[in-house]
Every structure is written in structure tokens, then in C-alpha cells.
Amino acid sequence: MKKIVYPGSFDPVTNGHLDLVKRAANIFDEVVISVFCNPNKKPVFSMSERVEMLEQATADFKNVTVDSFSGLTTKYVKSIGAGAILRGLRAVSDFEGEFQMASMNKHLDQEIETIFLMTDTKYAFLSSSVIKEAAYFAGDIKELVPDFVYQKLKIKFKND
């Protein structure tokens, strides 16, 4: 097929994100995970830390690369020669916001498609925000993120 971009904050990367990456890597020739600098969010991890965690988490995927960007997603997608944007849908509640974003992206560039993949039901409740909140209060998130992410969250929130 073609090159697809999976943009997001990935603060931090979760097993739900990685499930989508794995499935997309089986469909597309190349998957570029792009960490987005979102001015509306206050990340726990720096851009370089998030890129590094994603590189470590996807090291076994031969057709997956990790990058970062700021600005319009459509401009970034075009600049790297991709033709599609990957988005995950966890629940019906995600659809409205994702549909709005996909519609705006289509308005900005008619040549770029948005491809939606449904999240595996075991990750339907999972988001980076939920992970950070649970980690902050020393909740058990060990099965929801890669082990090295779990360790980094323990350090960030000083939980033993």
C-alpha cells in the first residue's frame, strides 16, 4: 500500500497505541509515528523522551519509524510524502471529535485521507491521560504500557 502517519501526543505511549501501530504495519508499507507538539497540552514527558520511548517500543517493526512535528498535520503528512493519517477510535464518544478533525484535514488537503482503526476492546478505556492519572496515584498500570514506560512513570511520579 502506502505510507501512513500516526500523529499524536503519546504522553506516554500505551499498549493501545502499540496495538494500532502493529495492525497498521500489517496493512501499510510504511507507518510513521509522529509525536505532535500540542500547545494546548502540558506533557509529562519531553518531546525527545516521547520519541525515544516510541522508538524503543517499535524497534522490532521494520516498517515503522518515529518522528516529531509541530504545525498542521496535513502539511507535515504532505512534506514526508505520505497520503494518509491513522486515527484510533476507542468508543462512540471518540467519533465526533475525530470526524471533525478528519473533515478539517480533508478541507485543508483533499489528497490526504484519514483512516480509522477500531481499538481492540481490551484497550477501549485506555488513554494516555488515564494512564498518567493512575500512575500519579500509584495505580497498577503495569499491563497497560510497555515495562520501560511503567518504570519511567514511577520515576516521574516518584512512586515505589
Side-chain angles (χ1 to χ4, degrees):
M1 279 202 144
K2 293 186 175 190
K3 184 189 294 190
I4 192 165
V5 173
Y6 183 19
S9 298
F10 304 104
D11 185 40
V13 60
T14 70
N15 289 343
H17 292 130
L18 296 176
D19 175 63
L20 286 181
V21 170
K22 179 180 179 181
R23 291 167 42 219
N26 287 328
I27 299 169
F28 294 91
D29 295 328
E30 185 178 350
V31 177
V32 180
I33 305 169
S34 296
V35 179
F36 175 62
C37 178
N38 187 339
N40 298 319
K41 292 186 177 182
K42 296 247 185 220
V44 169
F45 294 100
S46 70
M47 179 75 77
S48 61
E49 286 175 310
R50 289 179 279 155
V51 167
E52 181 183 307
M53 285 188 286
L54 281 160
E55 287 174 339
Q56 188 174 347
T58 61
D60 293 337
F61 295 101
K62 301 301 175 215
N63 62 335
V64 174
T65 57
V66 180
D67 196 7
S68 62
F69 76 104
S70 61
L72 287 174
T73 302
T74 52
K75 286 186 178 182
Y76 171 76
V77 169
K78 190 77 129 204
S79 77
I80 65 165
I85 299 168
L86 173 65
R87 299 299 297 167
L89 293 173
R90 293 172 294 207
V92 174
S93 57
D94 283 347
F95 181 77
E96 187 174 350
E98 291 295 343
F99 179 76
Q100 185 178 29
M101 192 180 335
S103 296
M104 179 53 117
N105 286 337
K106 193 65 161 173
H107 172 79
L108 293 170
D109 192 321
Q110 291 287 316
E111 295 178 7
I112 297 173
E113 296 294 338
T114 299
I115 308 297
F116 295 102
L117 289 180
M118 297 301 299
T119 302
D120 187 305
T121 54
K122 67 183 173 187
Y123 301 123
F125 68 95
L126 195 54
S127 70
S128 294
S129 298
V130 167
I131 289 295
K132 288 184 286 194
E133 186 172 342
Y136 180 82
F137 291 108
D140 184 7
I141 58 163
K142 196 170 180 86
E143 294 179 13
L144 304 175
V145 295
D147 188 57
F148 64 89
V149 173
Y150 175 73
Q151 298 303 327
K152 287 180 181 289
L153 283 165
K154 283 176 56 174
I155 293 166
K156 283 279 184 188
F157 296 127
K158 295 178 179 44
N159 294 329
D160 291 324

